[in-house]
Amino acid sequence: MLTAFTAGLLLITVSELGDKTFFIAAILAMRHSRRLVFAGAIAALAAMTILSVLVGQTVSLLPKQYVQFAEIALFVGFGLKLLYEASKMSGKAECDEAEEALAAVKEAEAKMPRRQSKLAVLLKAFTMTFVAEWGDRTQFATITLAASYNAVGVTTGAILGHAICAAIAVMGGRFIAQRISERAMTAVGGLLFLIFAAVAWIEAV
């Protein structure tokens, strides 16, 4: 369980910093109550994590060798993709994720009245975060981990990782993100995925 918890915590924390959901929370927190934005975001991320773990547990019912092969392939694929993206980056410029997040927030705000109730803000943070997280690499990473590791450990580790990133985002994520090297974070994420691929390979043989 400790291994599953650590894997979920590390993978999610590194992958989510500077991700689209991170910037959505940061931008919403500049316009609405930080507590409401954090509550909505973490509720969506927790729901997505639980859903992903359930899918992972279903996948684990398949023959073990196929699950292990898929796990290694996904981790290697994500790792190489992130390292390639890091090699194309330079400096500390904000990534495209920030621009996409800002556009998404503006589009959502345009469809809502100026004065929004607490429930409306909460639901907006939940909905935007959930939609942005759907199909994200962290979702597939969570599914993959849950297929091979303890479900409770992966769930608690991943949710804690999401909570840490969401807290950083609402407490001044845009300011912090401008001072974090996107290239370094992407490279670290890529290396982490490759490390997990190596661990999965060792366990498989």
Side-chain angles (χ1 to χ4, degrees):
M1 181 173 175
L2 180 60
T3 301
F5 173 84
T6 304
L9 177 62
L10 286 176
L11 208 55
I12 297 302
T13 303
V14 173
S15 298
E16 281 295 300
L17 280 175
D19 198 12
K20 185 177 179 179
T21 53
F22 178 90
F23 284 110
I24 285 176
I27 295 169
L28 288 176
M30 290 189 289
R31 305 183 179 198
H32 305 287
S33 165
R34 291 179 177 179
R35 292 183 180 179
L36 291 176
V37 172
F38 176 79
I42 194 59
L45 293 168
M48 181 63 75
T49 298
I50 293 172
L51 177 62
S52 299
V53 169
L54 290 175
V55 173
Q57 287 293 287
T58 303
V59 171
S60 68
L61 299 177
L62 297 172
K64 189 175 181 179
Q65 59 180 355
Y66 296 127
V67 174
Q68 290 175 327
F69 176 78
E71 178 185 8
I72 295 168
L74 279 174
F75 282 151
V76 169
F78 283 134
L80 294 178
K81 181 176 182 293
L82 289 174
L83 289 177
Y84 175 76
E85 290 175 356
S87 70
K88 298 295 182 180
M89 297 176 184
S90 62
K92 296 184 178 181
E94 282 190 25
C95 59
D96 293 337
E97 302 284 358
E99 295 178 3
E100 292 178 11
L102 182 59
V105 171
K106 285 183 177 180
E107 184 179 352
E109 296 267 306
K111 297 177 182 178
M112 301 183 74
R114 274 191 170 185
R115 293 186 178 181
Q116 300 173 32
S117 65
K118 292 182 178 180
L119 180 60
V121 173
L122 189 68
L123 289 175
K124 179 167 64 176
F126 179 93
T127 304
M128 292 191 68
T129 303
F130 192 88
V131 171
E133 189 67 13
W134 186 266
D136 190 68
R137 64 173 175 266
T138 52
Q139 182 189 21
F140 287 107
T142 304
I143 292 173
T144 305
L145 287 175
S148 303
Y149 293 93
N150 180 277
V152 176
V154 172
T155 302
T156 53
I159 291 177
L160 179 58
H162 280 304
I164 291 171
C165 292
I168 293 173
V170 300
M171 292 300 289
R174 197 172 181 83
F175 175 81
I176 294 171
Q178 289 175 338
R179 285 154 179 77
I180 295 176
S181 170
E182 178 196 350
R183 183 177 185 179
M185 290 303 300
T186 303
V188 169
L191 289 173
L192 195 57
F193 273 109
L194 292 180
I195 289 172
F196 278 109
V199 171
W201 174 265
I202 293 172
E203 291 180 348
V205 297

